[in-house]
Amino acid sequence: MPPSVDPNPHLSPTHTFVIKKMDGVSFYADTKMFISRKAVEQVIEAIKADGIKKVLCLLGGGSTKTTGLWDRITKSLKENGIEYCELWGVQPNPLISKVREGVAMCKDPKNKIEAVLAIGGGSVIDSCKAITAGAKFEGDIWDVYLHKAAPPTDQLPFYTILTLSATASEYNQGAVISSPEEGKKLPYFFLNRPVATAIDPTVQFTLPWRQVMCGAVDATSHLLEQYFSTPNETDSTRQINLALQRSIIKSMEKIKKNEKDYEARANFCWAVSLALNGIAGLGLGQDWNVHYIEHAISAVDDKIAHGEGLAVVSHAYYKFLWKRGVAKEMFEEWAQVVYGTSNVEEALKKFDELLDFWGAPKKLTDLGLKEADIPKIVKIEQEQNEMGINSPLLRLTADLTTEILKATL
Ligand code: NZQ
Ligand code: ZN
């Protein structure tokens, strides 16, 4: 999903797409990033240094307890004299109902919550952003997602302890929330990034390979969607973007051989965070169709992981773009720099092989969906596009989205 490239909180995602050169852009990423075996303790010390006396700890479904991370966090909170209360149960493809629960806790003066500490992956951190904004918002924060309310102008401070590198939510303002009752999964860009983020690569040693694969696919997709854009003269950003793609491929090879390789994990985590903090897309036109289609897929079935849906769509989408002659020069540069070939078809084949090497799904049926589900996905994608999210490279009509999805069968 598109990062904000401007500190203006009222900037809608659509506005970022018209920027195609280094003129009229601005960049800031004011999160303190700790990457260390001691990062968890460092971020808690940062909370104390900020004078915060009580936090709401926001967590997912329990992996934090089984890995022993929760004991480590509570020990450090106690040692630093920081009080805490807990909200567990944020699920993957996080729900607005859980966000509302968190908002109510923060708004209750009895709880005396001064900040939120998100402990988890993108789903927990995204929920944290909506909760911290909702806590300072008069109405229902979901109305902001539906563009039925003015953007929030204030937010509680929040900190993150990352347990899964994938979304870069630990370094950006984005927050994707779902409402299954309405069949919607929508992004929003809040006012603030985390004050500080802890990345302890050892915390990710125990991740199931499926989650590691999803993280690599997600970050690669963020890079590809920023890279394949309308013609631009922004060579510096394009080269940063391509270098990050290469680095993710290299680290993944090492992690596959040894899941406890600290340096490979740390490099991977950093590349993933940089893939969507704005730096890899600054001054590029950007085309987020793969994410828009994927968000519709996981709105149809919230058991589908974001990275898995992306793998299926991107596998078809870039071949589709190349056949239509879109972004030809960029395809050639990408083929050369990332895959060392002047033949774009060959690079696309290598990209397919990379997905296989990572163990990513490539067909809609691998996700448990079938041809009869395509109209549902297309309907959601088109409704979400009507709400103002679309890409400049290819305007997705219902027919085009159907064609792309049929190519994934
Ligand atoms: O809930 P628990 O038990 O903690 O388990 C989680 C969850 O089931 C597990 N997990 C996390 N860390 C672990 C671990 N298991 C073992 N060891 C660990 N160290 O992983 C599962 C998936 O977690 P989740 O947070 O859902 O994954 P991810 O980080 O991929 O986040 C996906 C969500 O982020 C949104 C996606 O759409 C999706 O809803 N996105 C957010 C973006 C942003 N804020 O900028 C951009 C992305 O493009 C994306 O759209
Ligand atoms: Zn993503």
Side-chain angles (χ1 to χ4, degrees), residues 1 60-64 67 90-94 120-124 126 129 163-164 166-169 172 174-176 185 203-204 206-208 211 218 222 276 291 294-295 306:
M1 56 182 260
S63 72
T64 313
T67 56
V90 174
Q91 66 170 63
N93 296 315
S123 295
V124 173
D126 285 9
K129 289 173 191 161
T163 63
L164 164 55
T167 62
S169 188
N172 68 31
V176 187
K185 179 173 176 180
V203 166
Q204 303 196 25
T206 53
L207 270 173
Q211 297 299 349
D218 192 16
H222 295 154
L276 197 57
H291 264 65
E294 192 298 305
H295 285 169
H306 177 58

Side-chain angles (χ1 to χ4, degrees), residues 55 312 334 380:
V55 293
V312 170
W334 169 76
I380 293 175

Side-chain angles (χ1 to χ4, degrees), residues 315 319 334 339 341 343-356 362:
H315 161 67
K319 291 193 192 84
W334 169 76
Y339 292 103
T341 172
N343 182 333
V344 175
E345 300 276 346
E346 196 185 323
L348 286 166
K349 193 164 164 280
K350 288 191 175 185
F351 177 58
D352 270 4
E353 287 164 4
L354 183 71
L355 292 177
D356 288 337
K362 293 201 301 201

